[in-house]
Structure formats: C-alpha cells, structure tokens
Amino acid sequence: MGEVGAGRWDDAILSASLFAVASHDIGGIHVRARSGPVRNAWLDVVREMIPPEITFYRLPIGITADRLLGGIDLAATLSQGRPVFEQGVLARADGGVLIATMAERMNGDTVSNLARALDTHQIVVERDGVSKITPSRLAIIAIDESAEPDECPPSMLLDRLALSIDLEGISIHDIVTTYPDVDEIKDALARFDAVTINDEERAALSSIAMSMGIYSLRPALHAAVIARAHAAMEAREIVEPDDIIVAARLVLAPKATMWPNEPAEPEMEEAPPPEPEQSDDQDDQPDEQTDSTSEIDKPLEDVVLEAIVAAMPDDVLAQLRNSNAATMRGGRDGRAGVVQVSKTRGRPAGTRRGAKIAGQRMNILETLRAAAPWQRLRGADPAAGNLRVLAEDFRFNRYKNKTETTTIFVVDASGSSALNRLAEIKGAVELLLADCYVRRDEVSLIAFRGTTAEMILPPTRSLLRAKRELAGLPGGGGTPLASGLDAAMALAEGVRSKGRTPVVVVMTDGGANIGRDGQPGRAQAGLDAVSAARMFRATGISSILIDTAKRPHPQSEEVANEMDALYIPLPRANAERVAETVNLAVAERE
Amino acid sequence: MRASFPFSAIVGQDEMKLALMIAACDPGIGGVLVFGDRGTGKSTAVRALASLLPTMSAVAECRYNCDPEKVSPTCPDCSLADREPSKPKNIPIPVVDLPLGATEDRVVGALDIERALAHGEKVFEPGLLAQANRGFLYIDEVNLLEDHLVDLLLDVAQSGENIVEREGLSIRHNARFVLVGSGNPEEGELRPQLLDRFGLSVDVETPRDPKQRIEIMRRRDEFDRHPDAFVEAWKRKNSALRSKITKAQKALGDVDLSDDMLEKISMLCIALGTDGLRGELTMIRTARAIAALGGASDVTTKHLHTAAPIALRHRLRRDPLDDAGSAIRVERAAEEILG
C-alpha cells in the first residue's frame, strides 16, 4: 500500500500545483476523498500554493437557487423599503476558488448553473425582479465523498473538470511535505501565458483521448492547457513530450472508458461494459480508432501511452479501469437536492397566496409586490423604511410535491428462456421510459443469474441511456432469487432515501436453485428466497411479482405472498403487456 | 463582458450551423432544437448566432420591440395616450437567454416594485418574453427547464401573446419569438408538446475526425488566450455570412418550388408517417431557405435531401422498440423517394 499511496500523493501534489497555475482555465479538480487528515493535508497544500489574493469560497451541499445565483436580501429590503438584491455565491466567487463538498450529491440545477459559469465565465440572473449578467470565472475543487463505487458526481460536472485525483488509500505516512511554494507557482504563472503548444502535440492528446474512449473535446482541450502549465512549472516556454505525458496521465487517464490496448468491445461476461459516453454507435469505434491512429504522426502518441502505463503500478491501473466503469455508469446528477420530503424543498413551481402554513418559505419579493400598490392607502411611507404588509399580501413558494416513482425491475436472467425474457424486459423498460418521462419517473434494472445479482441499469430517466446500457444483456445459469431480492431491497431503500417512491417489479419463471452464499441446492435456495422476501416485506416497499412460467410456479406465489407483492401470472409476457401491467399496478399501488 | 466565439470560426457541425442559418433566414420556420453530446459546442453556436443576425426596425423607446409599420394596439408602451407618434430606430434582432433558475416574474414580467414603493405607481416591468418579441429566445438545457415555465412557454408560443394578470395589473403584449433550445438527451427527455414547437432539429455528435479535432483545439486555444484579437480575425468571414443571410432573406420569396417537388415532399411525409401538415409546411419552407442560402432560384431534390433530416427527424412517431435512430429512418425514406 505504501508505494501506491506515496505515488498517489505525488500525483495529488503535482495536480495541485498544476491546478494552482492553470486554475481558471481548466474548470477545476475532482478530488475523491472522504474527510480525514489526508484530505485536510492536501487542501492545506493547495491553500499554500494558491497566491494569497485569490479567495476560497465554499459551495454548501443543497444550496438553494437564491443563494447560488442571488436573491432578495430580506433585512436590507425591509429596512430600506425597496428590494435589495444580494449576490449569489457564483457571482461572489468570481476569480476565486470554489470548494464543493459532497459533490456526488450535488443537485441537477446546481450542476447546470456551475456548468454554465464554467463554459461562459459569467452567469445570467433573471430572478426576483433582477436581470443581470455578472462575471463568474471559477476554479472548482469538487470533493467527492462517495462510498459506493457507482456513486459519483454528475458527468455534466466531471466532464468540465480537467484534473482528477484519488486520495483514498493514501496513509498519513505517505504524505511528504515538500512541494512547490507559492513563489514557484507565481513564477510559473508569469510564464504560463507565453507557453506554446504545437499541432503535433495537440494531435497526440486528441488521439490518445479518442483511443481511451473520451470523445468529448473538453478533456483534450484541458489536457493541452495542463501541458502548458506543466511546461511553465518546469521553467520552459515550449511544451515538450514530458508535459504531454503528464497531461495525458493526469487529465485523460482518469476519464478513460477503455484502455487503448484492450479490444474496443469490452467483455460482457463479468462486469457491465464501461460505456463510452459520447458514442451513439459502438460499432463505429474500431474504424474510427484506426482512422485516428493512421493519419496522425504515431511516435509521440505511443511514447506517451507507454510512459503512462509505465508510470502506474498494476493495481492502480486495474483500479483505474474499475473506477472508470463506475464513473461512466453512475455519472448522473445526485438527485439529493430534489428530495421531496417537505414543503420547503423540491423544484420550485411558482408561488401561491394565502395563509402561512407551518414550514413553508415566504417569497419576499412576491409578497412585497402584492403589498406595494396599497402602501399609500395604508398610510405607509416606504421611502422611510415604513412598510405595511398585511397577511393578505403573503406569498409562499410552491414546490412540486408529487413524489416521483422509480420502477426497479428485478429480472431472472437464468436458464434457457432468459434471453427471450430479457429482450421483452428491455422492450418494457424502453416503453415505460418513452411513456413516463412526462411524469419524470425513473426506471432501473437488476438481473440475477449464475451466483449473483447485478445492476444492469442504474435508475435513469433517459431512454437513450437505457438503450445504450441494455444493448447487450447476459443470460443463462442458475437462479439466485434471494440475491436478486436482496439487491432490489438495497437499491429500493437507496431510492427511497432520496425522496423518491420505489416500486419493485420481480420477473421470474421458476424456483430458486442458488442460495445466498452462491451455492447450488433447491432447498436452501428456497428458504433463502422466502427469508429475503420476508425482509423485503418489512421495508414496506411496493412490489409486483410477474410469473412468466408456462404454468404458475407455486414457489413464485409463495415468495410474492411473503413479500406482500402483487402476484401476476403472465405466461406469454411481451414488452407491451409487461409495460401495461406495470403501469396499471403502479397506479394502483401509489 | 466576454466576447462570444465567432460563428464562422466553428469547425465542422455543418448541419447545426445550417439549421441556425435557416432559422435566421426564415424565422417563420419555428426555431431550432439542438440535441447532442457533451462538449460539442452546442451553446457556443447558438450564442454566436446573434452576431449573424441583421438589424430590424422597431419603435424607439418601446420595450416590446413593436414594429413601426404595425404597432400593436395592445402594446402597453405604444398605446399610452400621451405618447408621441412612433419613431422607428434600428436595433439588433434580440437573442434573449432564458437561464435555468429564472423565476416566473422575470419571464412574464411583473409589477415594478421599486416604483410602486417609492412613488406609489403601478407600472409593469416587462420580462424576457417582451424582450424576445420579434427575436429569438434561447434556452440551454431545455430538457431541464422547470415544468411550470415550460407550460407557460407553450401557452405563449401558441398564442403569440403574453397575457399577465397579477398584482392588479392586466397586461397583454405581443410575444412572438423563435424558440432555440439545446440540451443533452442523457440528462432527460424533452416533453413531446415542447418538442412539437421546434421547426427544425439537429443531432450533434462529437467530431471524430482527427484533423477537425486539432483545428478545434487550436482555435479554442487562440480564443481563450486572446478573445478580442480572435474575434477581430474572424470579423470578415462573419460579415460575409451575415450578408449571405440577408441576401437569402430577400431572395426567399422568389425561390421556385415546382409541383413535382411538392409531391415529393408529401410522399416523403406520408412514408414517414409524420403527424399533421406541419411537417410538410416546414419541409417546404426549409427547402426554400436552403435554396436561397445556396443562391439557387429553384428548389431541387438536393435541397430536399438536405432539408429532410432537420425538418422531419423529430416528427416521427416514437417507436422505442425500433433501434434505428430517427435520422436513419428519414435518410432511408429520402433515399427511396428522392433517389
């Protein structure tokens, strides 16, 4: 561990210094680290390296739109008798460094606004009677504290952050306290603008990115900037192969969705394929790749690739591949911000008038607007800060309260009829998605077969994404029903903790024959299935069990009863019937 | 304020650029939806559109951009009793940005609260819909727009009028605009009602051609480091594009469309099963605009070929079980019917 940890720490420090030099030209840095001494030590290093005139700001998790973009300052508004607008974090942090903790749980609206600031270096505010464009040039440190491998910050954000480091696995003993001081950074900064990169080097970065399955151009563009920053650190004004190697290793490798020396189509057997996020059409890849390598000068690119591989210990390389799979699969917004637990959260849906309801948030501006026309009649003097606001003026924010449903399919992918069933399920998932996007519902798929259950499709609302991830489904093997139910329960509870309503749909055609421990044996497998079903019932999560066997299987019905699921025998299930049944059953259960 | 990347300096993405130019040439086509991968310069292209648009004549001091030739009788500014006869002035065609997180009061307009508090006056402060009148309204991440704003937009787009009844104000004003939206389908689908509002749609993909990619990297690098010099360097090409659009606009009415071509359009729409007449009408206007932009006096099958995917791909009935993308289906039908 020591060697790996020390290597990681070196990379983390190198990344920190490059971040300090190129800060506002590269979006920022993705830091995978839970809180602890190592993370603190790294942040201290960054603070020491960044020139003191640059201020650090914090982006709290769950920040509201008025804090992020700006809104009415209540105290000033009331004391001055006119609306006073207060800048949001994005405007205040212009030219500074913005630290976002728990970035894996950042909500979609926050991510979109950050993305916009990073793209255009400004924010457009059209809120609370204010219309303005404010500069917002940011450098973001996105701290990713995710515990689960398939949890990570939204890809909309990750695509825009050039650097990515992993502080997990670094021990406090790996930390070396030598690093460039702020004067070295300032020297590099002074040189940075003059550093040039040539087309051959750009070509190398672009084609390495492509061969790693990174099709978005942002990472390649960022890699070019990082190469220049590295040259500046090395007191050069011309980019050299060394700089390209560092840039490819620190910017491109962490975003890789495939490894260049691997076949373009990854194996389907063990893990779900790390889907290249940009490609619509997987078949294109091999051709495109040969294109990109044949036309462009090869040597530099090869040198760089070899150097990257050589610089990484094997286990890091392996880990990198795994974590990339997670990155690509889990890269969606962390939904946490749109939890519908109370009347003060969720997506805004206009305002309403009327009496105060406990816990509701007043919309100050709309309230003032309602009161404004009556001030003279009421004998008030707004200019002197004397306002008369009556209960009838009160306006409250309305939020969308309807909880959104996540349908979790748990599909028996075992045995001979599995392929058939999987094809129908794929159809049903796509039909449901095509049909339910107005309601903003999500669909997810877990398949069980062989000895375990695996998540094939994480909860998604995107038909496109579902089509990509369901492109190839594995089938055949034993029936570990208990593992399937356990996996469904874990996912459903996660979904529920995010404020959505999970509905589990189990589809199977026969009895369990693989136990929880992965061992064959009908008796134990049956007992395990029943016990899993009972545990499931305790969660109170709605469920449906569709029995696709030619003749209804007694054990299926027993399991359905134990888990309090709606039991539906559907011998000739096809995509339309399944989708229809689920829709009806969901409507009934809700 | 930061300069925007020049339209003419955008590498590749020909279909997206063409669709935007068609929309600039004939706003009646009904806007453009740009959907596609991350990092393909979707919003860069749309934001660069403003620099390509010609100017238009509007009533001076009118915050609703009234046309001096046809002043709206309901316009809150122009219908004021003490108002002098309308004075025209030339203004840039507005391209209004509707950012995520916009609140309803800023979109539809609301009581000007400062004046109400300070002077006791009840004055309407127009919103983005007023600013966008006779121009373009751009929504980035359009598939993430809050539902209540989508409802509102659909309503206004349908009637061409914004009716405000709030805080004792009763205002109606023209709000005719070309809707331009962009987004990444991975983030979520677009509501079908909103999809219908777009005349044209383009799918953008990340360029895979190495030479194109390097050229993009080079230009982006130049722009990021010396934005003003870069914009200056592309000024001539940009104004050439602008005059191409202005010329095409003038020529539009004279472009001939033979009965033969009309028949082909209608066969194409039938073959694809596009709902209603809108598909055909959009095809006609799009093909005309393409011909005009190319300096041709007649619409030919070549123009129809180019027009078909952008005018029709989002009008096909959704069939989630058909794995062929809609672009491919349009392509196939066009191949069959147009030859």
Side-chain angles (χ1 to χ4, degrees):
Chain A
M1 217 46 199
E3 196 190 322
V4 173
R8 277 197 194 174
W9 178 256
D10 289 346
D11 271 358
I13 292 304
L14 181 56
S15 295
S17 64
L18 295 170
F19 172 74
V21 174
S23 55
H24 293 88
D25 294 323
I26 52 158
I29 182 164
H30 166 215
V31 183
R32 212 176 133 82
R34 270 172 268 171
S35 65
V38 176
R39 182 169 111 186
N40 292 344
W42 185 83
L43 281 171
D44 286 345
V45 171
V46 174
R47 284 208 175 83
E48 278 179 49
M49 282 200 260
I50 299 258
E53 57 272 22
I54 293 179
T55 320
F56 283 72
Y57 299 84
R58 283 180 59 87
L59 183 72
I61 184 72
I63 187 170
T64 53
D66 57 337
R67 290 275 140 205
L68 190 70
L69 298 167
I72 291 293
D73 178 340
L74 180 56
T77 300
L78 291 181
S79 73
Q80 296 181 28
R82 63 179 186 84
V84 178
F85 187 78
E86 190 185 17
Q87 281 197 325
V89 172
L90 292 185
R92 270 184 286 134
D94 176 40
V97 173
L98 191 59
I99 302 183
T101 45
M102 298 215 292
E104 76 284 2
R105 290 173 64 82
M106 194 183 282
N107 79 42
D109 293 351
T110 306
V111 174
S112 302
N113 283 308
L114 273 183
R116 182 175 182 135
L118 290 175
D119 288 354
T120 62
H121 299 170
Q122 61 192 26
I123 53 162
V124 180
V125 177
E126 294 288 352
R127 298 179 57 80
D128 294 350
V130 171
S131 169
K132 64 173 172 190
I133 298 176
T134 332
S136 174
R137 212 169 144 76
L138 307 174
I140 294 175
I141 299 179
I143 298 181
D144 169 2
E145 301 171 39
S146 53
E148 303 295 323
D150 57 352
E151 207 180 2
C152 74
S155 48
M156 192 194 272
L157 180 63
L158 287 187
D159 186 52
R160 287 173 167 85
L161 306 180
L163 296 161
S164 180
I165 57 171
D166 190 349
L167 302 182
E168 299 290 306
I170 299 177
S171 120
I172 192 86
H173 308 293
D174 295 325
I175 294 178
V176 184
T177 45
T178 52
Y179 46 84
D181 64 15
V182 68
D183 290 327
E184 283 175 69
I185 299 288
K186 282 185 172 169
D187 285 347
L189 267 170
R191 222 172 287 121
F192 178 52
D193 268 346
V195 180
T196 56
I197 180 165
N198 67 33
D199 276 358
E200 190 201 353
E201 289 153 343
R202 285 193 185 103
L205 287 172
S206 161
S207 79
I208 290 168
M210 296 266 288
S211 67
M212 288 183 178
I214 309 166
Y215 300 105
S216 168
L217 264 163
R218 274 194 201 100
L221 284 162
H222 282 153
V225 179
I226 288 295
R228 288 175 44 229
H230 189 256
M233 285 295 294
E234 299 285 312
R236 280 185 271 107
E237 289 197 355
I238 292 172
V239 167
E240 287 184 0
D242 267 1
D243 308 319
I244 300 293
I245 292 170
V246 169
R249 187 160 59 83
L250 298 181
V251 179
L252 301 179
K255 291 189 166 68
T257 61
M258 57 187 184
W259 204 249
N261 53 8
E262 285 173 350
E265 285 279 351
E267 294 276 307
M268 294 298 305
E269 281 306 306
E270 287 148 34
E275 291 275 352
E277 73 164 359
Q278 300 298 341
S279 91
D280 268 326
D281 195 346
Q282 282 216 330
D283 302 339
D284 280 359
Q285 280 167 28
D287 306 351
E288 296 291 343
Q289 246 180 289
T290 38
D291 265 16
S292 64
T293 43
S294 60
E295 280 181 42
I296 302 300
D297 210 21
K298 252 183 172 169
L300 178 57
E301 190 192 325
D302 287 355
V303 171
V304 174
L305 277 177
E306 276 162 30
I308 295 174
V309 174
M312 268 185 270
D314 288 349
D315 59 332
V316 175
L317 204 66
Q319 203 167 358
L320 191 115
R321 288 179 191 151
N322 290 340
S323 70
N324 284 325
T327 307
M328 303 328 295
R329 296 179 56 81
R332 48 192 301 285
D333 54 282
R335 292 284 125 214
V338 281
V339 168
Q340 314 279 321
V341 290
S342 74
K343 294 193 165 57
T344 57
R345 298 175 80 174
R347 283 176 77 95
T351 55
R352 65 161 196 93
R353 58 188 297 175
K356 173 141 177 92
I357 295 174
Q360 273 205 349
R361 209 172 284 163
M362 184 184 279
N363 186 316
I364 304 302
L365 190 83
E366 293 299 334
T367 302
L368 283 180
R369 261 206 192 101
W374 310 103
Q375 293 306 303
R376 290 217 169 154
L377 274 176
R378 290 176 189 169
D381 181 8
N386 171 8
L387 280 176
R388 297 225 170 139
V389 179
L390 305 182
E392 67 195 54
D393 303 327
F394 292 168
R395 296 290 184 274
F396 298 93
N397 284 327
R398 250 193 349 213
Y399 294 92
K400 209 169 68 178
N401 276 322
K402 177 187 168 297
T403 56
E404 296 151 331
T405 305
T406 301
T407 306
I408 301 167
F409 283 99
V410 187
V411 181
D412 181 351
S414 69
S416 51
S417 60
L419 284 179
N420 227 341
R421 186 164 41 235
L422 285 169
E424 297 302 351
I425 277 298
K426 175 174 176 254
V429 166
E430 290 173 3
L431 277 173
L432 281 176
L433 277 176
D435 182 59
C436 71
Y437 55 147
V438 179
R439 307 200 308 257
R440 306 234 178 242
D441 289 352
E442 293 185 334
V443 176
S444 167
L445 176 62
I446 293 171
F448 56 96
R449 65 172 198 117
T451 54
T452 53
E454 76 176 294
M455 167 127 65
I456 303 287
L457 179 70
T460 183
R461 197 192 281 168
S462 165
L463 184 60
L464 187 76
R465 192 183 176 98
K467 282 194 170 196
R468 280 184 195 172
E469 310 215 349
L470 299 181
L473 282 171
T479 309
L481 181 54
S483 305
L485 292 180
D486 288 345
M489 193 167 77
L491 177 62
E493 290 195 310
V495 163
R496 190 159 62 176
S497 76
K498 288 181 181 174
R500 307 180 62 98
T501 307
V503 175
V504 171
V505 182
V506 183
M507 277 184 84
T508 179
D509 73 343
N513 58 17
I514 304 284
R516 269 200 176 119
D517 52 3
Q519 295 303 316
R522 282 202 179 269
Q524 188 57 41
L527 290 176
D528 282 354
V530 168
S531 100
R534 283 194 188 131
M535 278 173 69
F536 188 96
R537 171 187 224 130
T539 63
I541 290 164
S542 298
S543 57
I544 302 162
L545 191 145
I546 299 178
D547 187 347
T548 56
K550 286 202 185 81
R551 267 175 300 157
H553 198 287
Q555 195 193 41
S556 300
E557 192 162 3
E558 187 195 348
V559 168
N561 285 337
E562 289 294 347
M563 65 191 282
D564 194 21
L566 193 65
Y567 175 72
I568 305 173
L570 207 62
R572 267 180 298 280
N574 65 24
E576 282 82 10
R577 292 274 317 266
V578 172
E580 201 179 301
T581 310
V582 170
N583 260 338
L584 281 174
V586 166
E588 226 163 80
R589 288 253 148 173
E590 260 172 357
Chain B
M1 206 171 70
R2 191 167 126 115
S4 62
F5 195 86
F7 192 89
S8 49
I10 296 168
V11 180
Q13 307 295 10
D14 294 334
E15 199 184 53
M16 169 169 72
K17 286 190 285 193
L18 178 67
L20 289 170
M21 285 173 70
I22 295 169
C25 179
D26 181 1
I29 284 176
V32 186
L33 174 68
V34 186
F35 243 36
D37 296 336
R38 256 179 276 284
T40 43
K42 296 182 293 277
S43 49
T44 304
V46 180
R47 295 203 169 100
L49 176 70
S51 66
L52 285 191
L53 298 172
T55 56
M56 68 179 188
S57 171
V59 175
E61 314 292 310
C62 172
R63 293 169 301 168
Y64 306 85
N65 308 329
C66 268
D67 184 349
E69 309 281 313
K70 284 189 289 198
V71 171
S72 157
T74 60
C75 173
D77 279 0
C78 298
S79 62
L80 286 179
D82 57 349
R83 197 175 167 96
E84 291 170 29
S86 60
K87 274 181 298 185
K89 74 169 179 188
N90 271 335
I91 59 166
I93 291 183
V95 178
V96 175
D97 208 321
L98 197 167
L100 285 189
T103 52
E104 199 173 316
D105 63 322
R106 280 303 307 141
V107 177
V108 296
L111 178 78
D112 182 335
I113 187 167
E114 287 219 57
R115 285 175 70 176
L117 288 175
H119 310 291
E121 291 171 356
K122 233 160 88 173
V123 181
F124 180 68
E125 191 182 13
L128 299 177
L129 295 176
Q131 282 172 35
N133 188 28
R134 301 178 64 213
F136 292 74
L137 186 69
Y138 173 46
I139 312 170
D140 190 15
E141 310 286 359
V142 62
N143 45 342
L144 300 181
L145 192 67
E146 286 154 17
D147 284 343
H148 70 116
L149 292 181
V150 173
D151 294 342
L152 207 148
L153 275 180
L154 286 172
D155 189 33
V156 173
Q158 184 70 42
S159 61
E161 212 176 22
N162 180 30
I163 300 173
V164 187
E165 295 285 352
R166 48 186 287 168
E167 293 122 14
L169 290 165
S170 183
I171 299 278
R172 62 198 297 168
H173 67 79
N174 281 353
R176 292 178 200 286
F177 48 80
V178 179
L179 203 55
V180 180
S182 61
N184 180 336
E186 289 235 334
E187 308 291 338
E189 304 285 330
L190 197 65
R191 275 167 64 181
Q193 299 91 327
L194 190 55
L195 190 63
D196 276 351
R197 301 308 317 174
F198 291 99
L200 308 176
S201 91
V202 251
D203 287 344
V204 286
E205 278 175 28
T206 318
R208 306 278 182 97
D209 174 56
K211 285 190 186 124
Q212 260 191 19
R213 289 172 64 96
I214 295 160
E215 190 57 34
I216 295 171
M217 289 173 76
R218 189 194 298 134
R219 289 187 192 172
R220 195 74 225 183
D221 188 25
E222 270 176 50
F223 174 74
D224 283 341
R225 298 165 82 179
H226 313 288
D228 296 333
F230 188 80
V231 171
E232 189 60 36
W234 286 90
K235 215 172 172 180
R236 268 191 48 214
K237 287 214 164 142
N238 242 23
S239 52
L241 270 185
R242 195 186 310 123
S243 61
K244 187 171 165 185
I245 291 172
T246 319
K247 266 195 210 130
Q249 253 174 346
K250 288 194 183 113
L252 206 55
D254 300 326
V255 174
D256 264 345
L257 185 80
S258 66
D259 287 353
D260 184 31
M261 292 297 134
L262 270 177
E263 203 186 317
K264 286 204 157 92
I265 289 175
S266 118
M267 279 163 65
L268 190 60
C269 291
I270 291 168
L272 287 167
T274 59
D275 296 332
L277 261 180
R278 231 198 244 151
E280 283 177 48
L281 293 175
T282 311
M283 264 302 284
I284 292 171
R285 297 186 87 140
T286 310
R288 272 220 170 91
I290 292 171
L293 281 167
S297 54
D298 300 276
V299 171
T300 64
T301 46
K302 199 182 99 212
H303 301 132
L304 298 189
H305 249 303
T306 316
I310 44 181
L312 299 178
R313 73 155 62 86
H314 57 302
R315 299 175 196 280
L316 309 193
R317 198 161 302 135
R318 301 173 65 93
D319 182 359
L321 301 183
D322 184 353
D323 273 337
S326 44
I328 297 166
R329 285 162 66 194
V330 174
E331 203 87 358
R332 262 193 245 137
E335 204 60 51
E336 213 166 278
I337 289 158
L338 308 174

